[in-house]
Amino acid sequence: MAESWDCVVVGGGAAGLSAALVLGRARRRTLVVDDGKQSNLAASGIGGLLGHDGRPPTELYEMGRQELAAYPSVEVRTGTVIGGVRDDDGFVLELGDGRRERTRRVLLATGMQYRPPEIPGLAALWGRSVFHCPFCHGWEVRDQPLAVLGRGDRAVHQALLLRGWSDDIVVLTNGPAEFSDDDRACLAAADVAIDERAVVELVSENGELAAIAFGDGERLQRRGLLVATTLHQRSSLADDLGADQSDATPIAADPVDVDALMRTTSAGVFAAGDLSVPMPQVAAAIAAGSLAATAVVQSLLTDDYGLIGPDWRSHVNA
Ligand SMILES: Cc1cc2nc3c(=O)[nH]c(=O)nc-3n(C[C@H](O)[C@H](O)[C@H](O)COP(=O)(O)OP(=O)(O)OC[C@H]3O[C@@H](n4cnc5c(N)ncnc54)[C@H](O)[C@@H]3O)c2cc1C
């Protein structure tokens, strides 16, 4: 096995590339391993990222990789980390091609798997007129007839949220609504309609949503659909490295627990981006990656030169 890396960044999306930039500028031997499945690749543009509003995601990742090329201590490798163990004073990570890499720190930036409901026609529209986040894609469908697909409290929350982008909102509950009388009153007061019919298909025209098809054969014209989507870890890597999960949120089923410096509960393992944040957004992932990298660098300087930093365990448990 070759010389140890200072840090292996697992994942080269917004969080991982941002972290690698800061690590490279801090002259740290850094390996980024990325298998190229950033979660927003289906979207035609990134909404709400300062300086890059509307830029296609692939362009952003390519620009990030180009910036990293200026830093000789950083290597970006296409591949998959399939496992990892703690070893001596660091870690050994196993890659899909059989290589093993020793590293002093691990920064997990693996993103999350988004799981929207399985409805015929949804996959082809995902990331455009069918979306999980109005802050990302609401602007593009503003003032259009829109719908929310979901039930219970979360559907009420999403309908009232989306109300900021359009006056014409219908909640599609795809079966019994599970709304309390208060929920119904709240939605009625906001002029949000409820439709409990079975949704059988999303009908598209020219690659965008045109209508919702119901089990009774009728169609409802809609130009945008907000779907309740839950995020799940893409692999057991965080768990394998001893990083605990925090409680599930309405958005994330199994987020990795991090402190204010993006340190997990496992010393030497950091996490940034969707896998640990409550609000999945590119801007938040870039910020988290940057912050995590500064914490990695300082932790290495603590080991090497006695830089005074917060104690790992006491800080995590504070
Ligand atoms: C359809 C869609 C549209 C979106 N639109 C917007 C938007 O317009 N604006 C916005 O702000 N946010 C948007 N988001 C949210 C945004 O994409 C995420 O918050 C952001 O991409 C998170 O960045 P990340 O680096 O944490 O994860 P990702 O971008 O998902 O990157 C993680 C990377 O790690 C890799 N990886 C995972 N496991 C391994 C492994 N074991 N080994 C090697 N590599 C691995 C993945 O393949 C991937 O390349 C959207 C999300 C979706 C799903």
Side-chain angles (χ1 to χ4, degrees):
M1 216 179 315
E3 188 189 347
S4 180
W5 299 95
D6 286 325
C7 186
V8 172
V9 180
V10 188
L17 294 175
S18 168
L21 181 61
V22 173
L23 289 160
R25 291 178 61 80
R27 311 181 68 193
R28 289 294 163 181
R29 280 177 44 76
T30 303
L31 173 66
V32 180
V33 184
D34 179 49
D35 61 8
K37 298 185 188 114
Q38 293 89 351
S39 59
N40 57 354
L41 290 181
S44 54
I46 301 170
L49 181 63
L50 184 65
H52 302 279
D53 190 29
R55 182 180 293 287
T58 48
E59 272 187 31
L60 182 76
Y61 304 131
E62 184 50 37
M63 289 169 73
R65 282 184 173 228
Q66 280 174 16
E67 280 181 353
L68 291 177
Y71 297 94
S73 68
V74 178
E75 177 183 337
V76 181
R77 199 184 292 171
T78 299
T80 308
V81 174
I82 59 171
V85 290
R86 191 178 288 279
D87 182 38
D88 298 331
D89 56 351
F91 304 87
V92 174
L93 299 184
E94 188 181 348
L95 274 60
D97 62 7
R99 280 192 268 189
R100 292 153 74 83
E101 301 289 344
R102 186 180 295 283
T103 182
R104 299 172 68 191
R105 301 286 185 269
V106 179
L107 202 168
L108 297 171
T110 47
M112 290 285 244
Q113 184 187 53
Y114 289 59
R115 293 189 192 162
E118 292 182 11
I119 304 268
L122 188 149
L125 296 165
W126 175 241
R128 296 195 310 282
S129 43
V130 175
F131 51 91
H132 72 288
C133 166
F135 293 100
C136 302
H137 301 287
W139 174 257
E140 281 67 32
V141 293
R142 65 194 182 282
D143 295 329
Q144 301 287 315
L146 305 179
V148 169
L149 181 64
R151 292 181 193 168
D153 292 348
R154 192 163 175 197
V156 175
H157 174 81
Q158 292 197 311
L160 298 180
L161 192 60
L162 195 58
R163 188 66 178 77
W165 281 266
S166 173
D167 294 339
D168 182 358
I169 309 282
V170 178
V171 180
L172 307 169
T173 57
N174 195 17
E178 299 168 12
F179 290 143
S180 66
D181 290 346
D182 282 353
D183 288 341
R184 288 180 185 276
C186 193
L187 291 171
D191 281 333
V192 172
I194 301 169
D195 195 319
E196 300 186 49
R197 287 178 289 176
V199 174
V200 294
E201 189 183 354
L202 306 185
V203 182
S204 56
E205 268 175 26
N206 302 320
E208 298 297 342
L209 179 67
I212 312 294
F214 295 106
D216 61 8
E218 288 194 15
R219 290 185 174 190
L220 175 72
Q221 190 235 335
R222 293 289 104 175
R223 302 301 298 179
L225 176 66
L226 175 60
V227 291
T229 304
T230 307
L231 279 59
H232 297 257
Q233 293 297 327
R234 283 182 159 136
S235 69
S236 63
L237 198 52
D239 195 36
D240 295 346
L241 292 169
D244 292 340
Q245 294 171 6
S246 51
D247 293 340
T249 70
I251 293 176
D254 49 6
V256 170
D257 190 10
V258 290
D259 69 2
L261 295 176
M262 303 295 143
R263 302 180 302 182
T264 71
T265 55
S266 179
V269 181
F270 297 69
D274 273 7
L275 85 163
S276 62
V277 296
M279 184 66 183
Q281 280 192 314
V282 175
I286 290 172
S290 175
L291 176 59
T294 63
V296 167
V297 170
Q298 290 179 76
S299 75
L300 291 166
L301 292 170
T302 298
D303 283 2
D304 294 343
Y305 304 116
L307 175 77
I308 294 175
D311 175 68
W312 191 279
R313 294 301 312 176
S314 66
H315 192 84
V316 166
N317 296 324

